[in-house]
């Protein structure tokens, strides 16, 4: 048995679910077992990327004890474009 965590964050809150799963469990199986997709129906595993400790992993990645599955939301804006925009605003000050 493996102790793992599943985490998802919205702009308003963060949800962390601790789970105990069988050895050989994949990321996709653990996410489904966690029930997080019922709480957050906007999660679409065909669209949202997932990872372990900030490293993107495929859904069929086999978990190890202590892994923290992170479900990433799509970016609203391009970070580079936002930095350029902020730099331009700072120039005009």
């Amino acid at each position: 048995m493996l102790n793992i965590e599943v985490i998802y964050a919205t702009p308003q809150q963060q949800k962390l679910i601790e789970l105990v799963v069988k050895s050989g469990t994949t990321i996709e199986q653990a996410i489904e077992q966690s029930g997080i997709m019922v709480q957050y129906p906007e999660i679409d595993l065909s669209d949202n990327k997932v990872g372990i400790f900030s490293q993107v992993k495929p859904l069929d990645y086999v978990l190890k004890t202590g892994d923290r599955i992170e479900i990433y939301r799509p970016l609203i804006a391009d970070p580079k474009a936002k930095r350029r925009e902020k730099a331009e605003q700072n120039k005009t000050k």
Side-chain angles (χ1 to χ4, degrees):
M1 300 302 275
L2 309 172
N3 293 314
I4 60 138
E5 298 174 338
V6 177
I7 190 166
Y8 181 70
T10 67
Q12 296 79 26
Q13 67 181 10
Q14 174 179 307
K15 181 70 174 183
L16 176 99
I17 300 170
E18 295 179 353
L19 282 178
V20 177
V21 297
K22 293 180 183 177
S23 294
T25 298
T26 65
I27 288 177
E28 185 173 21
Q29 292 167 332
I31 290 171
E32 295 206 5
Q33 288 176 33
S34 75
I36 200 161
M37 294 190 331
V38 173
Q39 296 173 1
Y40 298 95
E42 70 270 19
I43 296 173
D44 178 359
L45 293 181
S46 64
D47 188 36
N48 294 80
K49 291 186 179 190
V50 297
I52 304 291
F53 295 112
S54 300
Q55 299 214 344
V56 175
K57 300 286 185 190
L59 291 172
D60 62 355
Y61 173 86
V62 177
L63 297 167
K64 299 179 204 112
T65 196
D67 279 348
R68 181 182 69 209
I69 301 168
E70 301 162 341
I71 304 169
Y72 306 120
R73 291 180 290 119
L75 293 176
I76 297 171
D78 178 21
K80 289 180 185 178
K82 289 303 244 180
R83 283 193 295 272
R84 271 189 239 111
E85 186 179 299
K86 190 169 185 166
E88 286 297 320
Q89 288 175 353
N90 288 338
K91 282 183 186 177
T92 60
K93 289 184 179 180

